[in-house]
Amino acid sequence: MNWVDTILQGVMLGGLYALFAVGQSLLLGVMRLTNVAHGDFLILGSFAGFALIGGVPGTPLGGFGLNPAVTMLILLPLAASFGYGLQRGVLNGTLGADPMPSLVVTFGLSIVIQNLLLEIFSADNRSISALGVETRSLALGAGIHVGMLPLIIFILALAATVFMEWLFRRTHIGRAFRATSDDYQTAQLMGLDHRHVYALATAIAFALIAVAGMLQGMRTVFAPSDGPGLLLYAFEAVIIGGLGSFWGSFAGGIILGVSQSVGFRIDPGWGILIGHVVFLAMLMIRPSGLFPKTR
């Protein structure tokens, strides 16, 4: 049963990685934007939740003592508005045939966010209280338990994936996303403002990033310099699953989580390494990913 438990814990961990990947997959699928600052925005979401809930005692960032659920409801519109403004004001100007401008700009954002967080919160590790949910578990029998918080994260990742698939396939804005992704110039002739459509996609992606960042902060400790590591997990999950596929990103996150969990089971120092090895093996066997899509 130990291996069953190992795989189950890996699936739960993969749910968090899948949540990291869905926002990245949306930006890559709609506008081919490689957001190098994705991990730093996740950590920014963690610190925003930390400041609103607990804060730093004895400082102006003493926190508001808000409930985590209320905090998330506050962060969602703030993150979406920030994402919309960032795309309209900065990132739209970097899009084009050459990916270098967007890479440079988002890399610059990454540096700014890391240094801003260091200046405000210092380099100390922080964590977000989930009102005791983080220490509760659910007994499944045969000595197997699953943590309540990882289970909630997995369910939210599944819900986010289902929502994004529904949004893309069943709604007007989803058709606009697909049309601008395929050919934004033709879409513009049909009356779509591609800059507005891109900004809406970024707003949704940043709302997902805020949720993922909050949950990351509840699951483990975090520091201002953790962003690049989270970016790597998000990229690996997206590439394993295939560009443009939300279910692929979900599957990629699960594969990455199970790989790391199995690695940790074999040797506590091998978990991260085994995850990267599986990612490289997938690149060699199937470079386009498991479920590639062209929108």
Side-chain angles (χ1 to χ4, degrees):
M1 284 298 171
N2 285 337
W3 281 105
V4 175
D5 183 59
T6 298
I7 292 172
L8 180 63
Q9 302 309 322
V11 170
M12 296 297 110
L13 177 60
L16 182 62
Y17 293 158
L19 206 51
F20 290 170
V22 172
Q24 186 73 299
S25 181
L26 175 60
L27 296 181
L28 281 168
V30 172
M31 63 195 91
R32 310 293 188 264
L33 173 67
T34 304
N35 180 14
V36 178
H38 184 83
D40 298 290
F41 282 120
L42 285 167
I43 291 298
L44 184 61
S46 300
F47 274 103
F50 170 76
L52 288 173
I53 294 173
V56 185
T59 73
L61 292 169
F64 295 94
L66 297 179
N67 181 286
V70 174
T71 301
M72 200 167 287
L73 289 177
I74 293 172
L75 280 182
L76 279 176
L78 289 176
S81 302
F82 177 79
Y84 186 93
L86 181 68
Q87 186 66 44
R88 287 301 296 253
V90 179
L91 297 180
N92 272 341
T94 68
L95 298 178
D98 184 3
M100 190 56 69
S102 61
L103 285 173
V104 171
V105 168
T106 54
F107 179 73
L109 286 172
S110 167
I111 300 298
V112 169
I113 292 169
Q114 287 183 40
N115 283 278
L116 184 65
L117 292 177
L118 274 172
E119 188 67 29
I120 297 174
F121 295 98
S122 79
D124 294 344
N125 286 328
R126 310 288 183 181
S127 64
I128 298 175
S129 169
L131 302 180
V133 174
E134 65 270 34
T135 59
R136 296 177 192 162
S137 63
L138 183 66
L140 301 180
I144 297 176
H145 294 75
V146 60
M148 193 64 74
L149 182 60
L151 181 61
I152 292 172
I153 293 172
F154 178 82
I155 292 171
L156 287 176
L158 187 62
T161 305
V162 171
F163 170 75
M164 292 308 299
E165 284 289 341
W166 170 80
L167 186 77
F168 264 71
R169 294 180 182 279
R170 303 292 182 187
T171 66
H172 175 72
I173 186 63
R175 287 189 286 274
F177 286 156
R178 297 204 307 271
T180 51
S181 173
D182 289 340
D183 187 341
Y184 78 89
Q185 290 175 323
T186 303
Q188 201 163 6
L189 292 175
M190 303 302 291
L192 286 174
D193 180 353
H194 70 284
R195 293 167 300 183
H196 174 63
V197 173
Y198 287 164
L200 287 177
T202 306
I204 295 171
F206 270 65
L208 292 169
I209 287 171
V211 173
M214 275 277 296
L215 295 172
Q216 162 71 8
M218 292 177 184
R219 200 178 196 280
T220 185
V221 296
F222 54 91
S225 58
D226 288 349
L230 302 186
L231 168 70
L232 188 58
Y233 296 149
F235 264 129
E236 288 182 344
V238 169
I239 292 170
I240 288 173
L243 292 178
S245 169
F246 296 114
W247 281 116
S249 297
F250 183 81
I254 300 300
I255 290 171
L256 190 61
V258 170
S259 302
Q260 290 186 0
S261 184
V262 170
F264 284 126
R265 179 81 174 87
I266 296 170
D267 186 289
W270 286 13
I272 304 299
L273 175 63
I274 295 290
H276 295 326
V277 169
V278 169
F279 164 68
L280 290 174
M282 288 297 300
L283 270 183
M284 294 172 63
I285 297 169
R286 197 174 172 84
S288 60
L290 293 173
F291 311 103
K293 280 188 177 179
T294 302
R295 291 194 169 91

